Structures are given as structure tokens and as C-alpha cells.
Amino acid sequence: MPRLSFAQVRGLLVLAAIVAAYLFQNQGGELSAPGPQTPPVAEMTRSERRASDDAILRAFEGKRNDVLVEGEGTVEKVLRDDTKGSRHQRFLLALDSGHTLLFAHNIDLAPRVPDRRRGDRIRFKGEYEWNGRGGVVHWTHHDPAGRHPGGWLQRGDPV
């Protein structure tokens, strides 16, 4: 089987991103498909949100990295995209506990969150990395190589 050049692989990734963006716009707004066991934003109970917040707070207090987290919160601030290296859409999300996280969503591998605004509710699954400001959540997309657990973002109505 012939090997693909870097330019060919990049072209295929761009094409895949375009197809994913088209599917997103025409299939109701989910950014990357949560598993079948994942309820919509409106169905996450207060106790489930509290347990999720507690797990993230423990990771923050323990200065832990590479922690798979799932939860939801409210967009506090929309930031400019990070365009150095892989492009990332960035925003700050406040959990119900008040703890704030920076989200770095790779838009080279997944469609961007369209029209995100302060006050939007976002449900997420990704990898938590500690920093002194509250932490960063990334890997909110699938892994094209299939070696890392996939994450996702889902926007929904305020609960």
C-alpha cells in the first residue's frame, strides 16, 4: 500500500473537518457524538452535576493531570482562538460550584462550537490538566489515531 505524504494527510483531515462541520449544521447541533448512555444537557440531575464538580475540584486541589472528566457549566467568557500550532477554540466555563475552567477545543480535529455566547450551557467530556487558574479541559474530540479516549462538547438550553 502506498504511503501518503504529509500534504495528503493534511488534506484528508481538512476534508474530514469540512464533512463534520456540514453534518453538525444539518443534524441538530451536537458537536461530537456523546455515547448512547449520555443524557442531553437538560437531563443531567443536580446531584450528577455536583458529583462531576466535586471530581474536578479534587483534581484541581490535587494538582492532577490527565484526568478524564465529564460535566456541564455555563460559558463565562469567549476568548480568541489559539492559532499557534493546532488551532483551538477557547472559552471559560463556570461549573455550578463556581469553579472556572479554560476549554481548549481543537478545531483542526472537530467542528467549532458555533455562536457560543456568555450564558450558554455546555455539556462536556474531555481531559483535565491542572494549572493555578482552575485547570484546562482539552481532548474534547475524538482521537484520529484511536489511542486516546474521545471527548465531546454539547451545547444545550439553560437548565
Side-chain angles (χ1 to χ4, degrees):
M1 177 183 269
R3 289 186 171 252
L4 297 176
S5 70
F6 176 77
Q8 290 170 319
V9 170
R10 187 177 61 203
L12 288 172
L13 287 173
V14 168
L15 179 61
I18 291 168
V19 169
Y22 173 80
L23 291 173
F24 169 77
Q25 289 177 343
N26 292 295
Q27 292 185 356
E30 201 167 278
L31 298 171
S32 51
Q37 74 283 6
T38 306
V41 172
E43 292 181 22
M44 190 173 198
T45 67
R46 183 172 295 169
S47 63
E48 288 171 327
R49 288 194 304 267
R50 190 176 2 226
S52 169
D53 286 10
D54 289 348
I56 292 168
L57 290 172
R58 283 192 304 276
F60 174 69
E61 291 165 356
K63 298 182 179 182
R64 295 183 59 211
N65 292 312
D66 307 321
V67 179
L68 193 61
V69 295
E70 184 174 342
E72 74 176 81
T74 303
V75 174
E76 280 289 310
K77 187 172 185 178
V78 175
L79 304 170
R80 284 183 287 151
D81 289 354
D82 176 4
T83 57
K84 294 178 183 134
S86 297
R87 297 173 310 137
H88 288 80
Q89 184 180 30
R90 300 179 315 140
F91 55 93
L92 297 177
L93 192 80
L95 304 175
D96 290 348
S97 65
H99 188 84
T100 305
L101 298 165
L102 170 64
F103 275 73
H105 178 60
N106 188 323
I107 53 177
D108 285 335
L109 295 176
R112 69 175 40 254
V113 180
D115 303 322
R116 79 219 128 103
R117 295 183 187 97
R118 188 168 197 255
D120 284 349
R121 291 294 285 184
I122 303 279
R123 186 120 191 254
F124 62 88
K125 181 177 179 181
E127 186 174 270
Y128 174 87
E129 299 289 337
W130 183 87
N131 71 24
R133 294 185 168 184
V136 178
V137 176
H138 65 129
W139 280 100
T140 53
H141 54 82
H142 74 287
D143 176 7
R147 293 187 296 255
H148 190 281
W152 45 263
L153 293 171
Q154 180 183 33
R155 190 170 67 190
D157 298 326
V159 185

